[in-house]
Amino acid sequence: MSILWIIIAIALLLFFIWQLMQPKQGAKASNAPSPTPPGALLSGEAQEEANMVATVSPEKAPPPATPKNVLDLSSAANRRLQAEVEAFLYKGKKMMAIQRLRDFKHWELQAAKDYVEAIEDEQTLSKARNRMSDEASSARRQAVIRLLAENQRVNAVKLVREETNWRLDQAEEYVDAMQGALNILQAEVNHFLYTHQKAAAIRRVSTVTGWDLSKSIDYVEHLQKNLS
């Protein structure tokens, strides 16, 4: 009987010792291996590059560039070119207006097309159309074109102001439009001359300017000399 109690006492002692040797739950968690962080398996250079990518914030996209193909209308030459483009549009010759811009400004086709289409939407063109078709009589239009053909721009502006009571800038805008019409007339005459249709060129000049036959012939021959 005493032997049984001795065995029981030894078993309890061993169980107590085993309990003392077991680590606590907190210590067990602290001793547990930490999970491998992302990128720990990368090489040193790769890890540095990954860190730089992670820390650098993406740059904002730059704002769209302002179109450079815009005519500076403070220039007299550009104002005349603008008037020519408007005159082509008034006659429904959009492709000729685009080509005119490309010839003088050496713009790309799309840039010239965009500019001409923008003019079509502007109220400026609408006002120019009204002045050319409604307010300006045929006689005044012919008179201004005749003066411009004789290089008398100042007198042309003066004539318009006297007949309309427009401001100086309005009169100059109208004269610029008529200069565009004259440029178109000269292009048409050159075409007739290139195709050996001198009589058609003379008739066209007489119709547009109101000149008599003699004056129209002189003007056509003058342009013909410039071609040779």
Side-chain angles (χ1 to χ4, degrees):
M1 190 72 179
S2 60
I3 295 174
L4 179 60
W5 285 108
I6 292 173
I7 293 173
I8 294 173
I10 293 173
L12 291 174
L13 178 62
L14 291 174
F15 178 76
F16 180 74
I17 293 173
W18 178 79
Q19 286 288 339
L20 291 177
M21 293 179 65
Q22 294 300 316
K24 295 181 180 180
Q25 186 175 0
K28 189 183 295 185
S30 63
N31 292 333
S34 59
T36 304
L41 299 179
L42 297 175
S43 64
E45 293 183 358
Q47 182 63 44
E48 290 182 4
E49 183 176 351
N51 292 338
M52 291 178 64
V53 172
T55 55
V56 177
S57 59
E59 296 182 358
K60 294 182 179 179
T66 303
K68 297 180 180 180
N69 296 321
V70 177
L71 290 180
D72 179 8
L73 297 182
S74 63
S75 164
N78 284 344
R79 285 198 302 271
R80 287 194 295 271
L81 178 58
Q82 176 94 354
E84 291 177 29
V85 170
E86 291 179 356
F88 277 124
L89 290 175
Y90 176 70
K91 290 180 173 287
K93 298 179 179 180
K94 182 176 178 179
M95 294 307 299
M96 293 184 70
I98 294 173
Q99 189 60 45
R100 191 69 166 176
L101 272 175
R102 298 194 68 196
D103 290 343
F104 278 82
K105 290 299 180 179
H106 307 291
W107 287 355
E108 296 293 334
L109 175 59
Q110 187 60 47
K113 181 175 179 290
D114 291 344
Y115 188 82
V116 170
E117 289 177 349
I119 293 178
E120 285 183 312
D121 296 333
E122 291 178 356
Q123 292 183 351
T124 304
L125 180 58
S126 177
K127 292 178 181 178
R129 284 176 176 171
N130 291 337
R131 287 174 185 168
M132 291 174 68
S133 60
D134 298 332
E135 297 176 355
S137 67
S138 177
R140 185 193 313 134
R141 185 175 186 273
Q142 289 179 338
V144 171
I145 291 177
R146 287 196 299 269
L147 288 171
L148 292 174
E150 296 171 353
N151 297 320
Q152 299 185 48
R153 175 183 167 80
V154 174
N155 289 337
V157 173
K158 182 180 179 181
L159 172 66
V160 172
R161 296 197 67 190
E162 289 175 350
E163 292 190 0
T164 63
N165 293 321
W166 286 346
R167 298 191 310 270
L168 176 60
D169 61 327
Q170 292 175 317
E172 288 181 338
E173 181 182 353
Y174 178 82
V175 171
D176 284 340
M178 293 303 101
Q179 180 66 57
L182 176 61
N183 292 339
I184 292 174
L185 172 62
Q186 291 174 342
E188 292 173 341
V189 170
N190 289 339
H191 172 73
F192 283 130
L193 293 175
Y194 274 128
T195 55
H196 307 288
Q197 301 181 63
K198 186 174 181 179
I202 294 171
R203 286 196 300 270
R204 183 60 179 158
V205 169
S206 179
T207 300
V208 173
T209 64
W211 279 333
D212 58 22
L213 180 60
S214 176
K215 184 66 177 178
S216 298
I217 292 174
D218 290 343
Y219 185 72
V220 170
E221 289 179 348
H222 171 71
L223 293 179
Q224 191 172 22
K225 289 179 181 178
N226 292 337
L227 289 176
S228 59

